[in-house]
Amino acid sequence: MAFFIISWIISYISFPVIIKISNEKNLLATPTERSSHIKKTPTLGGVGIFIGFILALTMFGTIFKNIHAYHIIGSVVVLFFLGLKDDILILSAKTKFIVQFLVALILILSTNLTINNLFGFLNIYEITESYAIAITLFTFILVINAYNLIDGVDGLAGTIALCFLLFSAAIFYNANQILMCIVALTLMGAIIAFLQYNFSKNNKIFMGDTGSMIVGFLLSFLLINILQIKDIWILNYYYKINPVLVIALMFYPLLDTTRIFFIRIFIYKKSPFVADRNHIHHRLLDLDYKHWQISAFIGLTTLSIATISIAINKINIHNQLLIIIILGTTIFSLPLLVQKIKNMNLNIFKNGTFFLLLLIAAGNLQSCTSKKEILYFQSPAKNSFEGNKIIDQKIETNDIISIRINSLDIESSKIYNIDLLESLSVTGMQPDVMKLKNYLVNNQGEIIIPVLGTVKVSDKTTNELQQFLTKKLIDEGHLKEPTVIVRIINSKITILGEVKNPGTFTFPEKNLTLLQALGLAGDLTINGKRNDIILIRQENNTKTIHHIDVTTKDWMESELYYIKQNDVIVVNPNNAKIKSAGIIGNAATLITAISLVLTGILLLKN
C-alpha cells in the first residue's frame, strides 16, 4: 500500500501547481461546439498522473530487481513527452500512431511479452511467435486509442481505469505477481488524486492526451500480463484466466470505439479520426445526465459485467463472450434505448408484436437444459446396493508390473527383487529411474525374474501370478514362507469429450470406480450427456461398447462399476450443447442476433 499512498500524495500536491502554471501560460482547452464545458480548463492532468506514478515507482521500485520495471518506466517516459507535445502543439494521428507502434514493439521484443494463447477462442490455443507479436501490437494500439476516445466527460476515463486497476491488482496479488500488483496500485493512487481535481468545480483539470496515452498504455501492459496467468484462487473460487475478463473490464471503450468508427465510416462516410459528438457519453449528456452520473453508471456497469464474467467462467469461452457482449451492449445502451422508444412512441402490444416475442421466447424454452439432464442418481427409493465383485485385472502385453518377493530371511530374498539388485551397485537413483526398475511384459507375454528365469504372465491376473510365484518359490526350494506382492503400475484410462480435463490418466489403485475415473478428469461439464456415457472396453482382443446412465443407480450393481485398464470413456454433449453449436445455433442465439440488430438500428438511427 506504500506505493499507492505515495503516488496519491505526490499527484495530489502536484495538481495545484500544474493548474496554476497552465492558467498562467494559457495551456487551456477552449470550449468548442463539441465541449461539455463553458470555460477554459487546464488539460495537463496527465502530467500529475505521470509525476505521481513515476516518482512512487522509482522511489521504491529498486527493491524489486525486475527488468520489466525499467521497460515500463522507459516506455511511459517516451509516451509522456509524446502526449505532452500533443496537448501543447497538437500532433497528427499518424505521428501518434507511429510512436505508439514503435514503443509497443520495442517493449514486446525486449521483454518477450506477448499474447501467445487464445484460450480456445475459435478453437485456437497456442499460436506462433509472429502471430503473437502481431496480436499483442494490435492490443496495445487498440486499447491506447480506445481509452483516449472515451475521455469526453468528467471522471469517465479515470473511473474506467480505476475499475480495471481494482480487478487487476486483486488478480496479480492472488497470482503472487508482486511487481504487476505494485504497478496497478501505484497507478491507482495517481488516478484517484486526478479524479479529485477532475470532479472539482474550482480547480478542475482534464486528463489530456498526456494522461490518456500513459494510462491507456499501462492498462494495455497490465491486460497482457493478466493473460500470462493460467489460473488463480479468489475468495476460495478457482478461476481460469481467459480474455473474456479483460474484455469485460474494457468493454465500454471497445464498444464506444467500435460504434464511433462504424458511424463515421459507414453512415457519415468520413475519416474515423475526425472528432464529433456521437459518443455514447455525449448522447447521455444530451439526455441531461450529469457528468458524475454518467461516470458512476458506466463504472458500476463495468464492475458488474466483470463480476459476471468471473461467475460464468466455467462455461464455453464463446458462450462467455456472447453473454458479455449481450449484457454490455444492452446495459450501456439502455438509457439511449429507453429514450429512443419514447421518441418513437413504440407500443409493443400493438400489431401482435408482444405476442410474437412471447411465442419466440416460449419456443426457446425447449432448447434449455433441464434439471433431469444434469443431476446424478435420480432413481428413487433404493439407497443400498449389493457388494460389487472386486475385479482382478489380467496382465497384458506392454504392462509394467511391480513384483516384490519377501521372506523371513531378508538377505536371501533380495536376489529375487530386481530393484534391490540394482541398488546394490547403483546409488543415488532418481525417482524416474526407480520407476523403470520393474518388469515390462514383452510381446510374448513373458518377463524375466532374477533366479526364477522366464515366467509367462499374460494369461494370469495379479492374484494368480502372486499364487503362482509363491508356489514356485516353495516347490523349487528357493525360500521358506515367501510373500509375493504383484501390482500393475502403468494402469491407464482415457477420458474424452465433455469433461473439464480430458486426457489419458494413470492410476495406482487396484480397483478404480467409474465415478473416481470421472473425478480424475475434473467431472463432467454442465453440457455433458449424463444419461449416455460411453465406455469402450477391450477384453480378449474384443472391443465392447457399453452405455451407462449415471442419472440412475442401476449401473452401480453391474460389472461396469469398476474401471479396467485401457478403458476409454467418452462423454458426448447433451442436446442443449448440440443445438447451440454452429453459426446460428439455437433459438436463444437467434433472439440474441435479432436483439443486437434492433439495438444497433435504434442507436444509429438519427
Side-chain angles (χ1 to χ4, degrees), residues 34 63 69 95 176 272 286 364 371 390 420 460 478 503 511 553 583 586 591:
R34 291 185 60 251
I63 63 177
T95 301
N176 201 31
D286 294 339
N364 179 49
K371 180 173 68 174
I390 303 297
L420 296 179
K460 299 178 177 65
H478 294 282
N511 291 282
K553 302 175 183 178
I583 297 176
N586 58 14
I591 292 175

Side-chain angles (χ1 to χ4, degrees), residues 52 90 96 117 185 235 243 269 287 309 331 338 371-372 380 430 453 456-457 543 545 548 563 596:
I90 308 299
K96 290 188 286 187
N117 192 320
L185 290 173
L235 300 175
K269 301 191 182 302
L287 296 178
S309 75
I331 298 175
V338 171
K371 180 173 68 174
K372 290 185 177 181
Q430 299 298 320
K456 180 79 170 179
V457 297
K543 289 184 175 64
I545 298 177
I548 304 172
I563 293 299
L596 289 175

